[in-house]
Amino acid sequence: MAVTLDKEAYYRRVKRLYSTWKKGEDEYANVDAIVVSVGVDEEIVYAKSTALQTWLFGYELTDTIMVFCEDKIIFMASKKKVEFLKQVANTKGSENANGTPAITLLVREKNESNKGNFDKMIEAIRGSRNGKKIGVFSKDKFPGDFMKSWSDCLNKEGFEKVDISAAVAYTIAVKEDGELNLMRKAANITSEVFNKFFKERVMEIVDADEKVRHSKLAESVEKAIEDKKYLSGTDPSTVEMCYPPIIQSGGVYNLKFSVVSDKNYMHFGAITCAMGIRFKSYCSNLVRTLIVDPPQEMQENYNFLLQLQEELLKELKHGAKISDVYSAVMDMVKKQKPELMSKITKNLGFAMGIEFREGSLVINSKNQYKSKKGMVFSVNLGLSDLTNKEGKKPEEKTYALFIGDTVLINEEGPATILTSVKKKVKNVGIFLKNEDEEEEEKDEAEDLLGRGSRATTLLTERTRNEMTAEEKRRAHQKELATQLNEEAKRRLTEQKGEQQIQKARKSNVSYRNASLMPKEPEIREMKIFIDKKYETVIMPVFGIATPFHIATIKNISMSVEGDYTYLRINFFCPGSALGRNEGSIFPNPDATFVKEITYRASNLKAPGEPVVPSLNLQNAFRIIKEVQKRYKTREAEEKEKEGIVKQDSLVINLNRSNPKLKDLYIRPNIAQKRMQGSLEAHVNGFRFTSVRGDKVDILYNNIKHAVFQPCDGEMIIVLHFHLKNAIMFGKKRHTDVQFYTEVGEITTDLGKHQHMHDRDDLYAEQMEREMRHKLKTAFKNFIEKVETLTKEELEFEVPFRDLGFNGAPYRSTCLLQPTSSALVNTTEWPPFVVTLDEVELVHFERVQFHLKNFDMVIVYKDYSKKVTMINAIPIASLDPIKEWLNSCDLKYTEGVQSLNWTKIMKTIVDDPEGFFEQGGWSFLEPEGEGSDAEDEGSESELEDETFNPSEDDGEEEEEDSDEDYSDETEESVYSGESLGSEEESGKDWDELEEEARRADRESRYEEEEQQQQQQQRSRKRKGSSHGHTPSKKKQRK
């Protein structure tokens, strides 16, 4: 297959080169011709000559000479390369047709001196402008006879040579869209390799306490780029390292890209890693420092370095002088931490593209070039020779911090980061646990795993551990209880006086004055007339036309009885079923109200009448219904809009590279039928655009929780947004909006014959697995890009599936999963989201041993808010939920009864002071705790002892009278049980076993004694039966 050349790109770029040359700025001034010669040298990776070739043709052409004259271009190369270049060579008829000079191709002869061709090129240079000065890349010197003979030829002619490296670099530094896409891809691959391979590998080494040399780790990173799974599916042949990865730790740091990873073992302190990946000749760069158990001072220095980078990106925009950018960052260091001035790296980055480092575009104090939109920089900030005061060993005493990213210059606003690897302390810090914590975890793990031969000893240990964990939990809960009551009391006293005003019912006036009344003939004829404009029904009452607004009509009904039609109109009035507080809803509740009016009309047509009289009633019934429906719809819409906070308008980013997800569904639906669309992230928010063209905007500052629900164990993959203020779409207000796509088949064809080893089924499963992985990767990439775009102000939370539990917050049971700041279920609709910061306490109801499940009540800090109930949670989930709540510093209580929470909350809101004087939330604590428990326990024991079977009848009557168990008796029974456990907690497990053995022995002795006594009795009986009667006979004798 012939190698193709992108002609359009070549013409565009040659035009750009010539236009900048003609302007005559910088080194281009007075240059008469440009000469670029490329030889063969395997050791040279980056050179301006090869970079220019790659930029123009997409390939490096070795042993090729390019001469750019004012009106012609000459390429001299081997026969094969000339064939390749013929694609852009203009034919004689179309010279300058593309606005570019005509091309002359010369074939290089391998064994000859090429004098003829050299002479032609020298002649062309002489004929270009003044023919004296030639622009060359003075640093590029290639070996070989061909290059030497050409160089000698130029020297012989005595041309004045001018180095135009910087000028050409500035010309090609501004990237086109196609180039930017390649650089984005390169940056994305670098990020993937760092996240999926390097970071994970370092974590493994730290966890396993392995000894690994820096050089070995660097080699393993180079091997990783040969594996497709780290390259987002990219062909490994198009990917190469820009330089060997540089890994440094243990007090020996050199923050440059020219160093090599040494053979020292990795030290678990500050580990700097620099790596750059090149994709289709375009470079990217990434630098991160992983810090193991960082002291506070190290964390502060690292955070300061992040602030410096943010300042650098803010300054690095279109038109900014590079030296000014450098000065702005240095001023910040002088102001905030002047002691670090000597520690910071000498330059803060450089321009990047086909060449890894553009020497003429380095961010330092001397560079006078201006940054332009479309340029890509590698920004790198480092602090070296920092002292760790807490370090004891020599390798711990000195450390360095180094961060760097590939960034793109924008027209306005700060530069965009292309390497989306998180770099906050929580993302790069590896925090190890103390030895004590590890031992505790180890013990717990052994207790959970060890069963069988060492059952008794392990059981003993395990029971003790569980007891201590429960005791710790109780102690923490007691602390939380006191805090809870104090905070709640303070909060409620502050809110006192801010009573909610009961909203009065809107007074609907039909006509402001009598002149507005319609003058229709129906009114004069005392017929019912409906004024659609003012939404009013005008009815004859005692011969007077009386207007009633449609809002006053509750309902209407029409019936036909015999020869008459009856129209009954019911009105709203105090006492009609409006709700509990209907008195305050009416503006003037003491006025006289009409409750209902009934009209009658004949169904018989009188002689001379054109229509039946009842027709008026029929029309009135139909029109009133229509007007009423229209009014109610409008009222419902207004009610939906009530309290809607006006959102800022979305700022659209016209850049095509916005993070975007396609083929998503939105819930709730915009229209009746669900529609697909795309979700795109802009400057200050998201925009969902459906295939029909509907738009839904969600601003970042209105998002309370952004939840990403992966497709593990689910049939859909979801991005869920729980909003601070509701938004309107589809004529309704919504505080929860989610975007999802289906992962597998939601429905299964049961009629299809299925076999375990069916090839089609196995293939379908494999395809589904691949699809799940693909979707998960796409969603994760989108999230990472959005977090980078928002500078991590918007963070997506992922639910912890391991901590999830089943429950029914609405009608159906679903899996509720905690995130770092909420309890959520996003896969079922309606979704369930509870913000943990808003929760006051959690109460468990119906916690009884004989029941399989219990209920959970969530009480909010805002007592006017209705409590949330989650029903039917399996009893097995009780302990894990308690553990989770305790770790979140949330107070929980439990009880056996179901409480009337509406009344409880009303009582608290009405008299908060009285509530807290009586102990506040302590009324929810089970009575079986503390000293009261002992008294209750002893009473219940006495009741048990004085139990009399003759009381059965009474108990039966009680059972009949009560449908459920008596709460009091249950509480006393439970308090007795808890007392027993408290008494026995003082005894050792071995002591308890000894007691049990003793009891067994005693019971065995008793049984043996009983058996002996029974045997003796039976013997006596036998003896007496044989010899008793004769003795009597003897006596008689």
Side-chain angles (χ1 to χ4, degrees):
M1 190 180 128
V3 180
T4 54
L5 193 155
D6 188 344
K7 295 180 197 176
E8 294 302 316
Y10 166 77
Y11 293 134
R12 260 197 327 272
R13 291 168 189 180
V14 163
K15 272 184 198 172
R16 199 203 293 183
L17 182 68
Y18 268 84
S19 65
T20 49
W21 178 18
K22 280 173 185 171
K23 281 180 191 172
E25 292 174 2
D26 305 320
E27 291 87 358
Y28 282 131
N30 305 321
V31 168
D32 300 318
I34 297 169
V35 178
V36 180
S37 49
V38 177
V40 181
D41 191 346
E42 293 297 325
E43 289 179 13
I44 296 175
V45 180
Y46 303 109
K48 194 64 80 246
S49 313
T50 54
L52 184 64
Q53 283 186 348
T54 307
W55 186 63
L56 289 172
F57 312 121
Y59 298 95
E60 283 182 22
L61 306 174
T62 54
D63 283 338
T64 303
I65 299 168
M66 302 189 292
V67 177
F68 298 92
C69 301
E70 189 177 19
D71 54 2
K72 67 166 110 173
I73 300 169
I74 302 172
F75 294 144
M76 180 181 174
S78 64
K79 197 175 181 181
K80 271 190 179 179
K81 293 186 185 84
V82 166
E83 284 297 318
F84 167 71
L85 292 168
K86 274 182 182 174
Q87 296 175 66
V88 288
N90 301 324
T91 55
K92 285 185 180 178
S94 62
E95 284 182 10
N96 296 312
N98 296 291
T100 60
I103 295 171
T104 305
L105 298 174
L106 303 174
V107 179
R108 178 173 73 88
E109 301 297 334
K110 280 187 181 180
N111 303 321
E112 293 178 23
S113 62
N114 290 295
K115 192 177 181 304
N117 289 336
F118 287 169
D119 289 344
K120 283 179 187 174
M121 288 192 286
I122 297 293
E123 192 184 325
I125 294 167
R126 290 264 182 229
S128 176
R129 292 189 179 181
N130 298 326
K132 291 175 184 177
K133 288 185 181 178
I134 56 170
V136 294
F137 302 132
S138 56
K139 280 188 183 176
D140 295 1
K141 287 173 182 172
F142 291 88
D145 296 338
F146 177 55
M147 286 293 115
K148 191 176 181 300
S149 57
W150 169 239
S151 179
D152 292 344
C153 187
L154 283 176
N155 294 335
K156 189 180 167 186
E157 294 295 325
F159 292 116
E160 188 184 331
K161 292 182 181 177
V162 178
D163 186 13
I164 56 165
S165 301
V168 171
Y170 198 59
T171 305
I172 68 176
V174 178
K175 308 289 182 289
E176 296 175 354
D177 286 345
E179 292 178 287
L180 287 176
N181 287 336
L182 293 173
M183 294 199 79
R184 281 195 189 94
K185 184 73 176 169
N188 188 37
I189 294 168
T190 308
S191 307
E192 288 286 294
V193 172
F194 182 88
N195 278 331
K196 290 184 180 175
F197 180 79
F198 179 76
K199 194 177 175 183
E200 290 297 318
R201 181 73 188 106
V202 171
M203 299 276 268
E204 283 171 20
I205 292 165
V206 174
D207 276 348
D209 203 6
E210 286 181 53
K211 272 195 164 188
V212 178
R213 295 183 193 275
H214 295 140
S215 52
K216 284 284 178 192
L217 188 55
E219 281 172 25
S220 67
V221 175
E222 289 193 75
K223 282 179 185 170
I225 67 163
E226 295 168 14
D227 193 336
K228 255 191 179 180
K229 70 176 177 183
Y230 300 121
L231 306 178
S232 309
T234 310
D235 180 7
S237 64
T238 58
V239 176
E240 60 181 325
M241 298 302 295
C242 295
Y243 56 91
I246 305 163
I247 297 153
Q248 303 176 84
S249 68
V252 182
Y253 300 94
N254 185 353
L255 307 186
K256 291 179 179 176
F257 296 102
S258 54
V259 296
V260 180
S261 299
D262 58 32
K263 292 187 178 180
N264 295 338
Y265 288 110
M266 187 198 284
H267 173 256
F268 302 158
I271 305 159
T272 66
C273 169
M275 65 167 75
I277 286 175
R278 204 176 184 201
F279 173 67
K280 292 187 177 175
S281 301
Y282 283 85
C283 301
S284 66
N285 196 28
L286 173 74
V287 186
R288 288 289 180 269
T289 304
L290 297 177
I291 38 184
V292 182
D293 274 341
Q296 191 58 38
E297 191 184 1
M298 192 187 285
Q299 290 186 41
E300 285 169 10
N301 285 335
Y302 184 83
N303 286 327
F304 180 63
L305 203 58
L306 292 181
Q307 287 171 28
L308 289 179
Q309 194 197 35
E310 204 168 314
E311 179 67 21
L312 175 60
L313 296 181
K314 208 185 286 178
E315 295 292 329
L316 205 58
K317 52 191 172 197
H318 179 72
K321 198 185 278 186
I322 291 174
S323 57
D324 293 347
V325 174
Y326 179 83
S327 303
V329 176
M330 287 305 156
D331 290 345
M332 189 176 172
V333 180
K334 276 178 196 169
K335 279 180 193 172
Q336 296 186 21
K337 291 203 173 188
E339 69 276 11
L340 297 178
M341 280 298 289
S342 60
K343 313 284 186 187
I344 199 158
T345 45
K346 295 289 175 281
N347 64 60
L348 306 180
F350 42 80
M352 192 164 56
I354 296 168
E355 283 191 277
F356 173 68
R357 183 180 187 274
E358 185 41 69
S360 59
L361 289 171
V362 175
I363 304 172
N364 57 24
S365 56
K366 297 172 186 173
N367 201 326
Q368 296 303 304
Y369 280 107
K370 287 182 178 179
S371 57
K372 287 186 177 180
K373 182 196 171 189
M375 284 185 176
V376 176
F377 277 80
S378 168
V379 295
N380 318 294
L381 296 97
L383 296 168
S384 54
D385 293 326
L386 297 168
T387 308
N388 179 10
K389 290 169 187 174
E390 294 180 24
K392 292 167 188 174
K393 297 174 185 175
E395 61 264 30
E396 289 174 0
K397 287 179 181 174
T398 310
Y399 69 93
L401 300 170
F402 200 18
I403 57 167
D405 284 289
T406 304
V407 302
L408 167 65
I409 310 291
N410 297 317
E411 183 98 45
E412 289 175 3
T416 306
I417 295 174
L418 303 180
T419 40
S420 57
V421 175
K422 293 180 182 180
K423 51 182 175 284
K424 284 186 178 178
V425 172
K426 64 177 182 183
N427 306 121
V428 298
I430 302 168
F431 296 90
L432 303 175
K433 291 178 179 171
N434 300 331
E435 287 177 13
D436 303 341
E437 287 177 34
E438 282 182 10
E439 279 175 21
E440 271 182 35
E441 283 192 9
K442 204 174 178 184
D443 291 346
E444 281 176 25
E446 281 177 5
D447 295 339
L448 291 167
L449 295 168
R451 284 177 190 149
S453 59
R454 294 168 57 206
T456 42
T457 38
L458 284 172
L459 258 168
T460 314
E461 288 294 313
R462 185 178 168 197
T463 314
R464 282 185 198 153
N465 278 343
E466 281 185 353
M467 293 276 291
T468 50
E470 179 61 29
E471 280 165 16
K472 278 181 190 172
R473 213 156 62 191
R474 278 186 189 166
H476 187 216
Q477 285 296 312
K478 273 186 184 174
E479 287 171 25
L480 289 173
T482 49
Q483 281 176 25
L484 172 73
N485 281 334
E486 283 168 14
E487 282 179 23
K489 191 176 181 181
R490 180 178 50 75
R491 199 171 60 246
L492 285 171
T493 46
E494 282 172 9
Q495 288 175 357
K496 203 177 175 186
E498 295 177 22
Q499 296 293 324
Q500 280 195 332
I501 300 155
Q502 183 72 41
K503 202 168 182 190
R505 189 177 170 87
K506 197 164 96 179
S507 176
N508 292 297
V509 177
S510 295
Y511 305 109
R512 296 282 172 198
N513 51 57
S515 63
L516 293 171
M517 280 269 286
K519 308 286 189 288
E520 304 295 325
E522 284 94 333
I523 297 169
R524 289 197 296 275
E525 290 167 13
M526 289 296 148
K527 289 180 179 177
I528 296 173
F529 176 76
I530 294 93
D531 184 355
K532 289 184 181 180
K533 184 183 175 184
Y534 289 100
E535 294 178 330
T536 298
V537 182
I538 300 168
M539 312 177 202
V541 179
F542 300 120
I544 300 165
T546 312
F548 289 88
H549 194 275
I550 199 79
T552 61
I553 295 172
K554 188 179 175 184
N555 53 43
I556 58 169
S557 62
M558 191 174 71
S559 60
V560 179
E561 293 176 17
D563 295 340
Y564 293 98
T565 296
Y566 293 87
L567 179 68
R568 181 178 172 178
I569 303 171
N570 294 319
F571 297 92
F572 285 114
C573 62
S576 63
L578 255 175
R580 289 173 188 162
N581 310 323
E582 71 263 349
S584 59
I585 288 171
F586 289 91
N588 185 10
D590 298 327
T592 305
F593 286 83
V594 177
K595 192 176 181 183
E596 65 173 79
I597 295 178
T598 306
Y599 290 94
R600 188 182 77 168
S602 172
N603 293 336
L604 302 172
K605 190 176 172 183
E609 287 287 328
V611 289
V612 177
S614 63
L615 188 68
N616 175 247
L617 292 189
Q618 289 166 11
N619 288 339
F621 175 76
R622 181 176 51 78
I623 297 166
I624 290 170
K625 281 280 187 192
E626 279 175 23
V627 174
Q628 203 173 27
K629 186 181 178 184
R630 196 173 65 202
Y631 173 77
K632 281 179 179 174
T633 306
R634 198 179 70 249
E635 281 289 294
E637 281 178 21
E638 280 177 19
K639 195 178 177 186
E640 286 290 328
K641 285 176 187 172
E642 214 171 76
I644 288 282
V645 177
K646 193 174 185 301
Q647 302 292 314
D648 302 333
S649 52
L650 185 74
V651 179
I652 301 292
N653 188 356
L654 299 171
N655 197 341
R656 286 183 187 173
S657 61
N658 289 338
K660 192 173 185 178
L661 278 177
K662 294 179 180 176
D663 302 329
L664 297 179
Y665 294 107
I666 185 172
R667 277 204 295 206
N669 295 334
I670 299 173
Q672 287 180 335
K673 194 179 177 185
R674 70 173 189 165
M675 278 183 293
Q676 279 191 329
S678 60
L679 181 68
E680 193 167 1
H682 291 281
V683 176
N684 65 337
F686 295 102
R687 169 164 282 182
F688 175 79
T689 313
S690 73
V691 286
R692 199 175 69 175
D694 307 281
K695 289 181 174 63
V696 177
D697 294 345
I698 299 168
L699 300 184
Y700 301 140
N701 60 9
N702 191 31
I703 295 171
K704 197 181 210 175
H705 297 290
V707 181
F708 167 50
Q709 175 68 62
C711 49
D712 304 324
E714 303 288 352
M715 296 307 287
I716 57 174
I717 185 165
V718 181
L719 286 181
H720 184 92
F721 299 110
H722 182 66
L723 308 177
K724 293 173 189 172
N725 302 308
I727 59 169
M728 286 283 292
F729 65 87
K731 294 185 180 177
K732 287 189 179 177
R733 55 193 292 166
H734 305 286
T735 47
D736 285 284
V737 185
Q738 65 174 226
F739 306 96
Y740 70 98
T741 187
E742 288 166 4
V743 182
E745 290 181 14
I746 303 270
T747 54
T748 308
D749 183 6
L750 295 174
K752 194 176 85 173
H753 174 70
Q754 291 186 340
H755 190 267
M756 192 174 125
H757 300 295
D758 189 347
R759 281 192 177 184
D760 290 345
D761 284 0
L762 291 171
Y763 178 70
E765 279 178 27
Q766 178 64 26
M767 288 298 287
E768 189 179 313
R769 270 196 295 275
E770 284 174 14
M771 188 186 174
R772 279 174 183 271
H773 179 69
K774 197 174 172 185
L775 281 171
K776 210 193 292 185
T777 309
F779 272 70
K780 276 185 179 174
N781 286 341
F782 176 78
I783 287 165
E784 282 171 8
K785 284 174 186 172
V786 169
E787 286 179 345
T788 309
L789 182 71
T790 60
K791 292 182 184 161
E792 295 184 19
E793 283 173 18
L794 176 70
E795 281 198 38
F796 282 82
E797 301 172 50
V798 179
F800 303 116
R801 199 174 179 84
D802 298 345
L803 297 175
F805 57 90
N806 287 305
Y810 304 113
R811 289 181 183 177
S812 59
T813 302
C814 58
L815 181 68
L816 300 163
Q817 301 172 72
T819 69
S820 51
S821 65
L823 178 66
V824 302
N825 170 264
T826 55
T827 49
E828 303 283 328
W829 197 263
F832 177 83
V833 181
V834 169
T835 308
L836 297 182
D837 287 344
E838 293 174 4
V839 174
E840 181 84 302
L841 86 153
V842 174
H843 181 67
F844 303 118
E845 294 184 341
R846 300 190 307 110
V847 180
Q848 300 181 42
F849 291 115
H850 63 274
L851 293 178
K852 286 182 180 177
N853 45 41
F854 64 95
D855 303 332
M856 180 170 157
V857 179
I858 298 168
V859 181
Y860 296 97
K861 287 176 181 172
D862 179 5
Y863 289 170
S864 59
K865 196 174 176 184
K866 194 181 173 187
V867 299
T868 299
M869 282 204 75
I870 302 169
N871 300 315
I873 303 169
I875 202 84
S877 302
L878 183 60
D879 267 354
I881 293 171
K882 281 183 181 177
E883 195 59 53
W884 164 63
L885 290 172
N886 197 51
S887 68
C888 295
D889 291 338
L890 282 174
K891 171 71 183 151
Y892 63 80
T893 53
E894 63 180 82
V896 292
Q897 298 165 290
S898 291
L899 303 172
N900 186 339
W901 284 97
T902 315
K903 273 190 179 177
I904 290 170
M905 298 315 290
K906 191 177 184 301
T907 310
I908 297 168
V909 172
D910 290 349
D911 182 19
E913 287 172 2
F915 171 69
F916 287 107
E917 276 168 20
Q918 291 168 11
W921 290 107
S922 57
F923 80 94
L924 290 172
E925 298 283 357
E927 290 173 18
E929 283 189 11
S931 57
D932 302 336
E934 290 176 17
D935 303 336
E936 257 186 59
S938 57
E939 279 174 31
S940 63
E941 280 172 11
L942 284 167
E943 284 170 14
D944 291 344
E945 283 170 15
T946 56
F947 174 75
N948 192 344
S950 64
E951 290 174 10
D952 282 355
D953 303 335
E955 280 191 7
E956 279 173 17
E957 286 170 15
E958 278 180 23
E959 280 178 16
D960 292 340
S961 64
D962 289 328
E963 287 177 9
D964 209 339
Y965 296 113
S966 156
D967 297 329
E968 290 172 19
T969 53
E970 276 181 359
E971 281 183 20
S972 63
V973 168
Y974 287 109
S975 61
E977 283 178 16
S978 67
L979 171 74
S981 65
E982 280 178 27
E983 272 185 356
E984 288 166 8
S985 65
K987 292 180 181 179
D988 191 7
W989 189 261
D990 299 330
E991 286 175 24
L992 291 170
E993 279 192 346
E994 189 55 46
E995 271 184 25
R997 283 197 206 95
R998 207 179 300 134
D1000 288 346
R1001 268 192 240 113
E1002 283 170 9
S1003 63
R1004 198 160 61 244
Y1005 293 149
E1006 284 171 11
E1007 282 173 15
E1008 286 173 5
E1009 281 175 13
Q1010 283 173 0
Q1011 283 174 1
Q1012 284 173 1
Q1013 285 171 3
Q1014 283 174 354
Q1015 283 171 1
Q1016 283 172 2
R1017 281 178 199 143
S1018 61
R1019 281 183 201 137
K1020 281 177 186 176
R1021 281 179 198 141
K1022 285 174 186 174
S1024 61
S1025 63
H1026 290 299
H1028 195 64
T1029 329
S1031 63
K1032 280 183 181 177
K1033 283 179 183 175
K1034 282 174 185 174
Q1035 283 172 0
R1036 280 172 191 165
K1037 284 176 184 175

